[in-house]
Amino acid sequence: MAGSVYSFYIFDRHTECIYTKRFNSAQPLRPHAAVTSLTKSSLPPTARKALSESDDAKLIFGTIFSLRRMVRQLGGEDDQFLSYRTNEYKLHYYETPTQLKFIMLTDTRVGSMRTVLHQIWATLYVEFVVKSPMAPAEHPGGVGVANEMFEGGLEGFIGSIFPPQPA
Amino acid sequence: MAACRSPAATSAAKLGVVFALLIINKAGGLIYNHTFAPGLQALNSNDSLILAGTFHGIHAISRTLNPVPPKHSNTSVPNSRNLPTTGIESLESSHFRLTCFQTPTGVKFLLVTSPEQPNADVVVRRCYEIYGDYVVKNPFYSLEMPVRVEKFEKALAGYLVRP
């Protein structure tokens, strides 16, 4: 599959970000385009720079939470938010029946990643996190999610879908 | 190809349906909302206003979330090929697809179609043209205010509603 993946997030049902992973990790997630009319007027330049990874996760959660509600309002209770696209990236969304939320940010050329996110849940999260005897039932602060097997499995799986491209 | 494009052939009823068009002004206020085909939940005017405001905010946030690393263009040509980030351009759900087009003046056109609708970006730009012709060129219309122009309604219905 052509294209590239930028980042991957898991949120639990308490709105908490329990797992974050970035790909092409040499670059920061928040480069040039952080200047918007919103931040420009209200925050000094240093504060804008200080927006960290956890702020990104919060913004992403807020976005999908609102979009999910909006989609239900427009399309009815059984409608599901799948993805959105800007001219630079695409956000894919998958929610499990237990309200775990899987989010992936990719290139715009990438097609639907719904099955991929489902696979990550079914074959990696359930196998290596849920079935792990060491992992707690809930994951406050991401405890017990980022174990070796899950990390390795995720990297291998994403690497097989998006083969590393020559620079 | 052009010869066989009779009105019946161009009718996209089998391919896609345009459910609704919403126009949001640059402050996030809903200035036009019309449903052209059944299929969406009926919203009261208050809910529509909230929806428009919410989308306006999310659109701004989606610009700040841009994860794409900056292109290492040569510094002698500043800003070469670095297009400004747009917000949400299209949103997909299992029942519909929402196409958003933001004009250079900050007005947002939201077209809600069925997921199969082809060329929704072209359709939404045509709606912008119709808006320009019938609303902005109307001397009695004041900008940023709700659109109540009869000819605009007729032109839109003539374009978006398939026989």
Side-chain angles (χ1 to χ4, degrees):
Chain A
M1 192 186 283
S4 54
V5 56
Y6 297 119
S7 53
F8 171 71
Y9 298 86
I10 304 175
F11 293 91
D12 71 1
R13 63 194 176 92
H14 308 294
T15 77
E16 193 172 355
C17 181
I18 56 170
Y19 185 75
T20 308
K21 182 153 186 67
R22 299 202 185 170
F23 302 89
N24 312 323
S25 53
Q27 299 100 351
L29 181 68
R30 178 175 293 281
H32 59 122
V35 187
T36 63
S37 52
L38 260 184
T39 50
K40 210 192 294 177
S41 56
S42 57
L43 295 171
T46 47
R48 212 163 57 227
K49 226 175 189 176
L51 280 173
S52 66
E53 291 186 26
S54 73
D55 292 323
D56 273 325
K58 285 172 196 160
L59 281 177
I60 286 177
F61 186 82
T63 307
I64 56 132
F65 184 83
S66 310
L67 287 177
R68 201 170 63 114
R69 230 189 98 236
M70 207 177 103
V71 162
R72 291 227 179 114
Q73 223 172 28
L74 273 176
E77 275 304 309
D78 56 338
D79 200 0
Q80 288 167 313
F81 166 55
L82 301 178
S83 70
Y84 77 71
R85 179 181 60 75
T86 78
N87 72 345
E88 294 209 300
Y89 70 95
K90 192 167 174 183
L91 180 145
H92 307 264
Y93 177 70
Y94 172 70
E95 185 174 333
T96 71
T98 50
Q99 295 187 339
L100 271 169
K101 296 163 182 72
F102 287 71
I103 288 140
M104 188 178 273
L105 269 67
T106 67
D107 212 281
T108 51
R109 290 169 293 170
V110 175
S112 172
M113 293 290 280
R114 198 173 165 72
T115 47
V116 172
L117 290 174
H118 175 82
Q119 285 275 314
I120 290 175
W121 172 59
T123 63
L124 297 173
Y125 187 86
V126 170
E127 289 300 323
F128 298 139
V129 178
V130 177
K131 290 188 183 173
S132 161
M134 310 291 280
E138 299 283 344
H139 304 279
V143 176
V145 179
N147 63 47
E148 228 170 82
M149 295 292 282
F150 182 69
E151 283 276 353
L154 183 64
E155 253 167 50
F157 185 51
I158 298 290
S160 69
I161 301 164
F162 301 96
Q165 289 153 352
Chain B
M1 198 57 199
C4 67
R5 286 181 62 127
S6 66
T10 51
S11 150
K14 274 178 234 150
L15 293 168
V17 189
V18 174
F19 291 131
L21 176 76
L22 291 86
I23 304 178
I24 301 174
N25 69 13
K26 65 184 172 201
L30 186 68
I31 56 171
Y32 184 76
N33 176 15
H34 197 273
T35 306
F36 297 96
L40 293 179
Q41 300 289 306
L43 291 182
N44 62 33
S45 56
N46 201 21
D47 284 344
S48 314
L49 280 167
I50 294 171
L51 192 129
T54 313
F55 188 85
H56 183 75
I58 294 170
H59 190 268
I61 293 174
S62 70
R63 288 167 45 152
T64 71
L65 284 175
N66 178 24
V68 184
K71 289 198 186 78
H72 298 291
S73 52
N74 47 354
T75 44
S76 59
V77 192
N79 297 329
S80 62
R81 302 170 128 226
N82 262 353
L83 292 168
T85 317
T86 64
I88 297 175
E89 282 185 337
S90 96
L91 182 152
E92 293 203 28
S93 87
S94 41
H95 289 194
F96 65 85
R97 188 170 66 206
L98 188 151
T99 309
C100 175
F101 170 63
Q102 188 172 28
T103 70
T105 51
V107 180
K108 282 191 267 295
F109 285 74
L110 268 56
L111 192 75
V112 188
T113 62
S114 59
E116 308 83 50
Q117 170 76 27
N119 300 329
D121 50 337
V122 179
V123 176
V124 78
R125 274 175 175 75
R126 177 72 190 126
C127 293
Y128 175 41
E129 281 173 29
I130 296 173
Y131 166 81
D133 281 345
Y134 290 95
V135 180
V136 181
K137 290 179 189 172
N138 178 351
F140 300 105
Y141 173 69
S142 48
L143 282 173
E144 306 288 310
M145 296 308 279
V147 178
R148 289 204 184 80
V149 183
E150 202 181 313
K151 282 203 165 182
F152 174 62
E153 309 253 350
K154 276 187 185 158
L156 265 188
Y159 177 57
L160 293 176
V161 180
R162 304 295 176 186

